[in-house]
Amino acid sequence: PSQLPLYINYFSEQHEFEKCEWFNFLMGRYFKDMQHSVGFRNKMKGIMTKQFEKLNPRRPKMLGEFVVQNVDIGNQFFNVNRVRLVNTNIGSELVGQLDIEYNGGASLTIATELYINFPTPKFATVPLLVFVRIEILRGQLNIYGPPMLMSRFIASFAKLPECVFDVHINIGEKQYQVSETFPKIKRFLENALKKMLWRNCVDPNRFCFFLPLPDNKLRAKTEKVASRRSRARRDNERRILAQTGYLLNDVNLTSH
């Protein structure tokens, strides 16, 4: 489908749900194979490299370009719980919402440089290594599964999930810990990662995947249905529209 069904507000606390322990067990077993897959780790590194290449033009002026050196997928898979489904007229079709939580410790290692701008701009550079670890990622996921298991599944977060990151910054060849010295860099990376999620995985944008079944590898990619703009840009557009006597609703402002 071009869009996921609009059922975000359909479910209540009293709605029947499935714990889905069988799914967590199977994916946990499959994850152990992914942990040792060099190809999967390289693919994840490639995805994050492209994201940080897009981020580089907006990085703080005190820093050089971000280079993703390593991606660690952590020690466990996402945990799925409270699966709520909608009855449809199509047999074996899966439409619903579920709670998802991750605390498996996936992490990134990012290399960059700190510019010393005295007595002249970029007078000297000092190497930085930044370690970012996912402590918690928790949210509600809208899900669509086609009648044929071998077909493409679609999922998107109903809203930006709760995200907690642990960021450590080391400086110089001896890698001194300076995380508390550069809070601006920590905040920038934490906000940048949240924006990556928001731009790529929050409804109406989504990610598509194929289940790891016999003769069918686990494959996934993001799919953008609408572009995302910052709140500041939307507020500025509203001011311009108000001055010119025109008014657009929120749907128009956020879908282009």
Side-chain angles (χ1 to χ4, degrees):
S2 59
Q3 284 188 312
L4 289 172
L6 298 177
Y7 51 81
I8 294 174
N9 298 318
Y10 175 82
F11 302 100
S12 67
E13 289 298 318
Q14 289 75 37
H15 196 92
E16 292 186 4
F17 63 86
E18 162 69 41
K19 289 185 176 180
C20 223
E21 293 177 353
W22 61 272
F23 178 82
N24 292 323
F25 175 78
L26 289 176
M27 292 309 298
R29 294 288 297 271
Y30 183 76
F31 180 79
K32 293 185 183 298
D33 294 331
M34 290 196 297
Q35 277 184 300
H36 304 292
S37 170
V38 175
F40 183 78
R41 289 200 301 270
N42 288 339
K43 184 173 183 178
M44 294 301 299
K45 182 180 177 181
I47 291 172
M48 296 310 301
T49 295
K50 288 181 181 178
Q51 292 296 324
F52 274 89
E53 286 174 350
K54 296 176 184 177
L55 181 65
N56 271 325
R58 301 190 297 276
R59 70 187 187 277
K61 293 182 179 180
M62 69 178 80
L63 296 179
E65 290 193 351
F66 294 117
V67 178
V68 176
Q69 286 196 339
N70 185 54
V71 175
D72 187 332
I73 63 174
N75 55 27
Q76 67 182 51
F77 197 71
F78 288 91
N79 185 69
V80 171
N81 197 8
R82 292 178 56 82
V83 180
R84 289 88 72 190
L85 299 177
V86 175
N87 292 324
T88 70
N89 295 324
I90 302 176
S92 301
E93 185 180 47
L94 181 69
V95 177
Q97 190 178 77
L98 54 86
D99 294 348
I100 190 169
E101 182 171 346
Y102 179 79
N103 53 11
S107 63
L108 285 170
T109 303
I110 305 162
T112 184
E113 294 177 323
L114 177 68
Y115 294 143
I116 308 300
N117 293 321
F118 182 84
T120 59
K122 298 184 182 179
F123 175 74
T125 60
V126 181
L128 288 183
L129 269 185
V130 184
F131 304 93
V132 183
R133 174 186 167 97
I134 301 175
E135 293 293 310
I136 296 174
L137 193 153
R138 181 189 299 128
Q140 292 183 331
L141 200 67
N142 302 327
I143 185 77
Y144 170 79
M148 298 293 293
L149 280 178
M150 302 291 284
S151 298
R152 184 180 70 160
F153 283 64
I154 300 174
S156 67
F157 284 103
K159 60 182 180 180
L160 182 67
E162 176 188 354
C163 306
V164 178
F165 300 102
D166 183 28
V167 181
H168 290 279
I169 304 171
N170 292 354
I171 190 169
E173 293 181 359
K174 294 187 178 181
Q175 292 293 291
Y176 294 109
Q177 238 277 22
V178 292
S179 301
E180 301 307 319
T181 310
F182 297 104
K184 182 177 180 180
I185 298 176
K186 289 182 63 176
R187 288 196 301 270
F188 175 80
L189 287 170
E190 289 168 351
N191 291 334
L193 289 168
K194 290 178 182 179
K195 285 181 180 179
M196 286 180 192
L197 271 173
W198 180 62
R199 291 176 187 275
N200 293 289
C201 301
V202 176
D203 187 74
N205 296 335
R206 66 269 187 102
F207 53 96
C208 309
F209 61 94
F210 292 84
L211 292 177
L213 299 171
D215 299 321
N216 196 35
K217 294 182 179 180
L218 177 64
R219 291 173 287 157
K221 68 174 184 176
T222 58
E223 189 174 87
K224 284 192 175 183
V225 176
S227 63
R228 299 286 196 185
R229 293 179 290 179
S230 68
R231 180 178 299 176
R233 181 177 171 185
R234 293 198 302 270
D235 290 344
N236 186 52
E237 288 174 343
R238 288 190 177 95
R239 284 194 295 270
I240 294 172
L241 291 168
Q243 291 170 0
T244 57
Y246 293 96
L247 182 64
L248 292 179
N249 58 37
D250 288 340
V251 173
N252 287 334
L253 286 174
T254 57
S255 61
H256 297 284

